[in-house]
Amino acid sequence: MDSNTNTFKRRRIVTIAPGKVILFGEHFVVYGYPSLIASIDKFFNVKVNFSPPTVDEITIESNLGFKATIQNSVLTFPLGQEDTYHEIIKKLYSVIKYLMTHIGIDMRSKSSMFIHLDSEIPLGGGLGSSSAFCVALTAALYHSIDNKANKDKICSESINAEKILNRDTSGADCSICTFGGLGRFDRLNGFKKISADFSDYRLLIIDSGVAHDTFSMIERVSEIKNNRPNDFKNLCNKYSNIYDQVLSCLEHREIGNIGELLNRNHELLANLSLSNPILDKIINICNSEGSLGSKITGAGGGGSVVSLLHKDDVLVIKNILKRLDLLNLKYFFAKIGSKGLRTACNDKPSKQI
Ligand code: PMV
């Protein structure tokens, strides 16, 4: 729909946003501390087709196998679809509704919308699946009204949208999913790219198989902060010290030394009750076989572990993977620093097809 001329356009918009890995500083970033974050080569792809309306209708379809139709704000699911999907769809729809209102898309007199979601990022794995969705959808909806929104605007609006899913989000995830690369993020200064060469190293990401809920993990940390303020302050000070050493390693190209700092950051997260037996087990496997260092990445309580390996430590890598396979755990090697948000738009003639 072209909002300026009030004529219908059959328009197809494709947006792609990368997932992310938090290398340092999850949770501490919520309280204003800096974090080190990177995009990864796993992507969330959103395709939105706008067509002339027959009715006010939105259809959502995902490669995970779920589907829903929304007419006059009423959600309808295909018969027999699993209930667990319905909760996900309700959350997605609340983000869609928020964005449509804030971006100014009025469905009543305009087009119907078909949203196809195709994600390579594991759901609930702490790898930025919900932020990549918010970023990619925000970009698609801005482009639908011919708004030349730049990445800064898309990023800040997607952070607002993500607040519907996680009220206390720091904004780190949407920032890295928008801009891509490797960099530092803090709440005051936003995202700033850092250049570093990780080419001699491999980042192994292991899915614990336990989906996590970011909001309840943030609540858990908040309770510790309120009930044990001195302990919390102490952990924050230790984190600050770790972060300074990380920056120094990056500056001096001592990437291998980051491993030990990952372990120390993990200890702080474990002290905040964010680890669990399966996460501890994965970290123990990686470190006992000779990884340079490992930690939870993301909110914890489940989700994923990130482990740093030297690419020439072939035997170490082989032994770790063998033990992970015995536990049937899923893993992949992430390339960090992939491109941020990308958008393509294709208008067709204004007649109904
Ligand atoms: O939702 P996750 O697992 O990607 O974790 C987000 C990181 C937190 O620091 C826990 C929250 C935030 O918004 O920064």
Side-chain angles (χ1 to χ4, degrees), residues 243-301:
Y243 180 79
D244 289 345
Q245 292 184 53
V246 172
L247 284 194
S248 161
C249 289
L250 292 177
E251 206 179 308
H252 297 101
R253 299 173 189 207
E254 294 161 348
I255 303 295
N257 292 346
I258 283 179
E260 181 49 31
L261 298 169
L262 288 172
N263 289 336
R264 284 174 50 198
N265 191 164
H266 180 75
E267 257 173 51
L268 304 183
L269 296 172
N271 278 318
L272 288 168
S273 307
L274 298 165
S275 197
N276 66 22
I278 179 70
L279 291 164
D280 287 342
K281 187 166 192 166
I282 294 169
I283 287 171
N284 185 267
I285 288 174
C286 295
N287 291 353
S288 63
E289 292 296 346
S291 155
L292 298 168
S294 315
K295 67 182 266 295
I296 295 169
T297 182

Side-chain angles (χ1 to χ4, degrees), residues 20-22 25-31 35 124-131 162 166 168-174 185 187 212-215 217-218 221 274 296-300 302-304:
K20 60 88 208 185
V21 60
I22 300 181
E26 49 278 271
H27 290 286
F28 296 102
V29 69
V30 172
Y31 296 92
S35 57
L127 300 174
S129 137
S130 61
S131 345
E162 201 182 19
N166 167 20
D168 296 322
T169 179
S170 66
D173 288 13
C174 284
F185 174 90
R187 289 190 98 138
H212 74 183
D213 172 16
T214 303
F215 183 67
M217 292 302 114
I218 290 181
V221 174
L274 298 165
I296 295 169
T297 182
S304 304

Side-chain angles (χ1 to χ4, degrees), residues 151-321:
K151 282 194 175 178
D152 288 326
K153 183 143 180 82
I154 290 168
C155 182
S156 68
E157 198 60 89
S158 60
I159 292 172
N160 289 336
E162 201 182 19
K163 284 187 179 152
I164 295 176
L165 308 175
N166 167 20
R167 185 185 69 204
D168 296 322
T169 179
S170 66
D173 288 13
C174 284
S175 300
I176 190 63
C177 295
T178 306
F179 298 108
L182 165 80
R184 56 164 282 159
F185 174 90
D186 69 65
R187 289 190 98 138
L188 187 64
N189 301 298
F191 179 66
K192 282 205 174 66
K193 281 198 183 178
I194 294 178
S195 70
D197 181 7
F198 277 74
S199 58
D200 284 342
Y201 295 87
R202 303 187 76 185
L203 269 187
L204 178 62
I205 311 267
I206 306 129
D207 188 342
S208 68
V210 180
H212 74 183
D213 172 16
T214 303
F215 183 67
S216 50
M217 292 302 114
I218 290 181
E219 292 276 282
R220 187 177 286 183
V221 174
S222 163
E223 270 166 35
I224 292 177
K225 178 181 178 283
N226 294 335
N227 297 337
R228 294 163 34 209
N230 290 338
D231 290 346
F232 184 72
K233 188 72 203 145
N234 193 16
L235 293 175
C236 290
N237 290 340
K238 285 186 177 160
Y239 171 69
S240 246
N241 183 272
I242 291 171
Y243 180 79
D244 289 345
Q245 292 184 53
V246 172
L247 284 194
S248 161
C249 289
L250 292 177
E251 206 179 308
H252 297 101
R253 299 173 189 207
E254 294 161 348
I255 303 295
N257 292 346
I258 283 179
E260 181 49 31
L261 298 169
L262 288 172
N263 289 336
R264 284 174 50 198
N265 191 164
H266 180 75
E267 257 173 51
L268 304 183
L269 296 172
N271 278 318
L272 288 168
S273 307
L274 298 165
S275 197
N276 66 22
I278 179 70
L279 291 164
D280 287 342
K281 187 166 192 166
I282 294 169
I283 287 171
N284 185 267
I285 288 174
C286 295
N287 291 353
S288 63
E289 292 296 346
S291 155
L292 298 168
S294 315
K295 67 182 266 295
I296 295 169
T297 182
S304 304
V305 163
V306 58
S307 192
L308 182 70
L309 299 151
H310 195 282
K311 72 173 178 17
D312 295 338
D313 284 343
V314 180
L315 194 62
V316 169
I317 296 174
K318 196 173 148 205
N319 288 339
I320 291 174
L321 300 190

Side-chain angles (χ1 to χ4, degrees), residues 11-182:
R11 169 169 287 183
R12 180 176 202 242
I13 296 162
V14 181
T15 53
I16 301 172
K20 60 88 208 185
V21 60
I22 300 181
L23 293 169
F24 289 93
E26 49 278 271
H27 290 286
F28 296 102
V29 69
V30 172
Y31 296 92
Y33 291 86
S35 57
L36 185 73
I37 52 183
S39 54
I40 57 171
D41 56 337
K42 294 268 176 215
F43 298 93
F44 204 118
N45 195 311
V46 171
K47 291 191 192 103
V48 189
N49 282 300
F50 292 86
S51 44
T54 39
V55 279
D56 158 12
E57 184 173 284
I58 301 172
T59 305
I60 313 173
E61 186 186 78
S62 156
N63 68 325
L64 291 179
F66 61 74
K67 191 171 176 166
T69 306
I70 303 121
Q71 269 186 21
N72 301 317
S73 305
V74 179
L75 274 160
T76 319
F77 306 112
L79 276 177
Q81 183 164 273
E82 279 177 37
D83 282 356
T84 45
Y85 285 145
H86 297 175
E87 289 315 305
I88 298 173
I89 294 167
K90 281 180 199 158
K91 286 184 182 169
L92 297 181
Y93 181 51
S94 58
V95 171
I96 295 169
K97 231 174 23 179
Y98 167 88
L99 284 172
M100 286 175 63
T101 311
H102 283 79
I103 293 173
I105 298 172
D106 177 7
M107 292 295 289
R108 276 166 310 168
S109 58
K110 300 183 180 170
S111 44
S112 56
M113 197 155 80
F114 188 96
I115 303 174
H116 181 83
L117 311 175
D118 199 344
S119 176
E120 303 170 340
I121 311 168
L123 204 65
L127 300 174
S129 137
S130 61
S131 345
F133 163 71
C134 290
V135 167
L137 185 71
T138 306
L141 295 183
Y142 263 121
H143 283 274
S144 78
I145 55 165
D146 284 341
N147 190 321
K148 304 276 181 288
N150 62 26
K151 282 194 175 178
D152 288 326
K153 183 143 180 82
I154 290 168
C155 182
S156 68
E157 198 60 89
S158 60
I159 292 172
N160 289 336
E162 201 182 19
K163 284 187 179 152
I164 295 176
L165 308 175
N166 167 20
R167 185 185 69 204
D168 296 322
T169 179
S170 66
D173 288 13
C174 284
S175 300
I176 190 63
C177 295
T178 306
F179 298 108
L182 165 80

